[in-house]
Amino acid sequence: GENVEQHPSTLSVQEGDSAVIKCTYSDSASNYFPWYKQELGKRPQLIIDIRSNVGEKKDQRIAVTLNKTAKHFSLHITETQPEDSAVYFCAASKTGGSYIPTFGRGTSLIVHP
Amino acid sequence: DVKVTQSSRYLVKRTGEKVFLECVQDMDHENMFWYRQDPGLGLRLIYFSYDVKMKEKGDIPEGYSVSREKKERFSLILESASTNQTSMYLCASTATGTGVYEQYFGPGTRLTVT
């Protein structure tokens, strides 16, 4: 089955800095890669996703890049703000058949004002 | 606006008790999931269901069972609760056939087994 590794487990940055979280996956058939943000005490929510036919996707201060050859994808947050502090989860899955994402272990991002 | 609700936010049970966690979604989603969330271990899949009365084991099904008698409701059952099942339990749902794969999560149930 799919295996997703996520690094780092904790990331501490100063407000205004950039943050990068990296994930690798094992199944070359995976073609959908979402990122979820979970604020303290709240439910995970999708913030951005990318499909295997795209190399990069941006949405304001967040972007995701995908390298299918190397089987890794990354979340980039620019101009970080204290409200970006949360746990971020990456996931990988195949969209055909039963959709069952495999999640990484999460990255706790702390943005210091 | 998709809503996924769970029957309890906090639950305290004794070892050996039978525990029911319920999840309800209001968006007619076919797929429903139960996850367990522990610090440093991420979201681990316990069971999922892709239709009424259909269920499949996830990565950590031992000690759990599920029931899906209606499309909107997916129940997680701990037949005999043990202290190592103390955890946060999250339910989620997704649609199929729409090209949208976003998972919508419930607020979670923090279960403590003493």
Side-chain angles (χ1 to χ4, degrees), chain B residues 10-40:
Chain B
Y10 300 94
L11 209 51
V12 180
K13 294 292 182 180
R14 292 183 181 266
T15 302
E17 280 193 89
K18 191 168 185 176
V19 182
F20 292 87
L21 304 181
E22 289 207 318
C23 175
V24 178
Q25 50 92 6
D26 67 356
M27 284 302 292
D28 203 35
H29 284 173
E30 292 81 5
N31 293 342
M32 297 188 75
F33 307 78
W34 274 106
Y35 292 95
R36 173 176 171 160
Q37 182 175 20
D38 299 288

Side-chain angles (χ1 to χ4, degrees), chain B residues 8 18 25 30 43-44 53 55 58 86 98-99 102 105-107 110:
Chain B
S8 305
K18 191 168 185 176
Q25 50 92 6
E30 292 81 5
L43 300 168
R44 293 183 291 168
K53 297 191 185 295
K55 61 185 179 184
T86 291
T98 63
E102 177 176 359
F105 286 87
R110 184 164 295 282

Side-chain angles (χ1 to χ4, degrees), chain A:
Chain A
E2 177 66 275
N3 182 50
V4 176
E5 300 280 342
Q6 182 172 348
H7 298 279
S9 56
T10 305
L11 181 57
S12 184
V13 300
Q14 289 295 127
E15 183 176 359
D17 287 351
S18 294
V20 180
I21 303 170
K22 298 181 179 181
C23 289
T24 60
Y25 61 99
S26 61
D27 188 347
S28 56
S30 288
N31 61 352
Y32 177 68
F33 307 93
W35 287 88
Y36 288 82
K37 176 183 179 182
Q38 185 179 28
E39 297 177 8
L40 189 63
K42 297 192 176 180
R43 67 191 79 190
Q45 290 191 296
L46 180 73
I47 55 170
I48 195 167
D49 57 15
I50 192 167
R51 304 192 186 211
S52 59
N53 59 346
V54 175
E56 182 176 4
K57 185 176 179 180
K58 289 183 179 180
D59 183 3
Q60 298 183 333
R61 295 187 298 107
I62 61 173
V64 58
T65 57
L66 171 65
N67 183 325
K68 287 190 294 182
T69 303
K71 289 189 282 190
H72 67 70
F73 56 111
S74 300
L75 179 71
H76 305 253
I77 306 174
T78 58
E79 300 172 23
T80 54
Q81 300 168 4
E83 51 265 38
D84 294 328
S85 297
V87 178
Y88 292 81
F89 294 98
C90 65
S93 67
K94 295 184 281 285
T95 55
S98 295
Y99 168 68
I100 310 168
T102 299
F103 284 88
R105 293 191 172 197
T107 296
S108 177
L109 173 64
I110 303 164
V111 180
H112 299 280

Side-chain angles (χ1 to χ4, degrees), chain B residues 80-98:
Chain B
S80 177
S82 64
T83 54
N84 62 12
Q85 292 178 309
T86 291
S87 186
M88 171 68 83
Y89 291 88
L90 287 166
C91 173
S93 71
T94 59
T96 55
T98 63

